């Protein structure tokens, strides 16, 4: 279990390094300045605007990392 967890965590990509090339949903690691906490969210990346849109309307400056969504359970 620990090996699989480490493998999944190593797939995080910093928004400072690169943004996704494809318009689709991604798992996001976000900092909430008001609550002073980190949390996960799912957002749709729009390549044309280089922006992640979520139901929470998170400002891009608070999104720290992204990664492709894992495959659904079988």
């Amino acid at each position: 279990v620990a090996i699989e967890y480490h493998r999944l965590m190593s797939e995080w990509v910093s928004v400072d390094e690169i943004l996704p090339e494809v318009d689709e949903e991604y798992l996001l690691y976000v900092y909430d300045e008001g609550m002073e906490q980190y949390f996960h969210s799912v957002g749709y990346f729009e390549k044309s605007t280089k922006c992640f849109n979520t139901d929470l309307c998170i400002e891009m400056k608070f999104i720290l990392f992204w990664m492709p969504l894992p495959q659904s359970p079988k």
Side-chain angles (χ1 to χ4, degrees):
V1 174
I3 293 171
E4 181 64 10
Y5 175 79
H6 184 270
R7 185 190 69 75
L8 290 173
M9 292 309 292
S10 67
E11 294 179 12
W12 286 105
V13 180
S14 171
V15 295
D16 293 332
E17 291 177 21
I18 192 167
L19 293 173
E21 290 292 320
V22 181
D23 290 338
E24 60 183 54
E25 286 188 317
Y26 293 91
L27 182 60
L28 308 174
Y29 189 67
V30 183
Y31 177 68
D32 183 332
E33 189 174 46
M35 304 268 303
E36 295 184 357
Q37 67 181 8
Y38 296 90
F39 66 95
H40 294 90
S41 184
V42 173
Y44 185 84
F45 183 72
E46 293 181 2
K47 189 176 177 184
S48 62
T49 61
K50 294 189 175 28
C51 183
F52 289 98
N53 289 318
T54 70
D55 291 337
L56 301 173
C57 298
I58 301 168
E59 291 183 49
M60 187 67 176
K61 67 181 181 179
F62 297 117
I63 298 171
L64 305 175
F65 299 93
W66 62 273
M67 70 182 292
L69 292 176
Q71 292 182 348
S72 298
K74 295 178 183 177

